[in-house]
Amino acid sequence: MALKTVTNNNVTVSSINSEKGIIYGVVYRPELVDSYNETFTAEEVEKMAHNFMSKSDLRFSIDISHNEIPIAAYPVESFIARAGDPEYQEGDWVLAVKVEDERVIEMFKQGVLSGFSYQAMLFKEEVTKQVEVTRFEIFYTERTLDHTHIVVLLYDQNGEFIGGITNPVKGHYHTSINPSHVMIEGNHGHRINRNAI
């Protein structure tokens, strides 16, 4: 499990309890396209959550951006959100992580880190899914390095976010898997400025 950077985010951290040093957030949301352009069913997400919690020593299971260098952090809660949960969508794998390094807590507060990212060896199964786009939004990204992008965000008939893409700038573009950030391309990513256009 990794604390992931602000630009590689399928679902962001929902809250931080600074007094207790606990970060709460969704690790994985069923049927949401992830950074590898893949999705998992609710059943598969539940299996991932249970498998993760079955490890014998979770104190060495958290790193930053999958660098495989454990930090002073460990899970204290893990659950699959049920229908009617006021904070999470049904099927979300929700995790609470106790972080004993104040520098890491500050990285979340400053937006340098923004969520959880699950790492595993998997067998892929290609599936074609047809989605009707019924609404789109256009924004600018916030400036990173020396440039910004225009980003188009797409929504389905239920109002669910289904993906996004930026225009090419300086020989690259970014995709988006949530309506607040775009993916890292090269060595950087961008937040989406939802008030820009």
Side-chain angles (χ1 to χ4, degrees), residues 19-152:
E19 185 179 331
K20 294 183 177 180
I22 298 176
I23 297 169
Y24 299 84
V26 176
V27 176
Y28 209 95
R29 175 166 290 159
E31 307 301 338
L32 180 67
V33 177
D34 66 19
S35 57
Y36 295 98
N37 200 31
E38 297 167 351
T39 63
F40 289 89
T41 66
E43 293 78 19
E44 290 167 330
V45 171
E46 185 176 63
K47 281 182 186 176
M48 286 192 304
H50 293 175
N51 180 60
F52 177 71
M53 294 304 291
S54 72
K55 294 181 179 178
S56 60
D57 192 350
L58 294 174
R59 287 194 66 86
F60 301 101
S61 62
I62 308 287
D63 61 23
I64 295 177
S65 297
H66 300 291
N67 64 5
E68 299 186 7
I69 302 171
I71 63 169
Y74 53 92
V76 292
E77 296 178 47
S78 177
F79 66 91
I80 302 297
R82 305 294 184 235
D85 189 299
E87 192 168 359
Y88 304 105
Q89 291 184 22
E90 181 178 2
D92 282 352
W93 172 15
V94 183
L95 193 66
V97 172
K98 168 78 172 175
V99 178
E100 297 176 330
D101 187 333
E102 187 57 38
R103 293 171 300 172
V104 176
I105 294 285
E106 282 302 313
M107 291 171 78
F108 273 99
K109 289 179 181 177
Q110 295 171 13
V112 176
L113 296 172
S114 68
F116 301 127
S117 180
Y118 187 66
Q119 180 175 328
M121 294 183 66
L122 305 168
F123 296 99
K124 295 183 180 182
E125 177 183 356
E126 190 165 329
V127 176
T128 301
K129 183 175 180 181
Q130 187 170 345
V131 178
E132 181 181 350
V133 175
T134 60
R135 182 171 68 91
F136 66 90
E137 298 175 324
I138 302 175
F139 301 103
Y140 285 111
T141 63
E142 292 182 356
R143 181 172 295 277
T144 300
L145 300 177
D146 61 351
H147 68 280
T148 186
H149 296 264
I150 295 172
V151 59
V152 178

Side-chain angles (χ1 to χ4, degrees), residues 129-135 154-162:
K129 183 175 180 181
Q130 187 170 345
V131 178
E132 181 181 350
V133 175
T134 60
R135 182 171 68 91
L154 307 174
Y155 298 83
D156 68 14
Q157 62 274 14
N158 299 317
E160 295 290 322
F161 177 76
I162 56 176

Side-chain angles (χ1 to χ4, degrees), residues 4-18:
K4 61 187 173 179
T5 60
V6 75
T7 52
N8 182 21
N9 200 356
N10 54 355
V11 195
T12 57
V13 157
S14 58
S15 63
I16 301 172
N17 184 324
S18 299

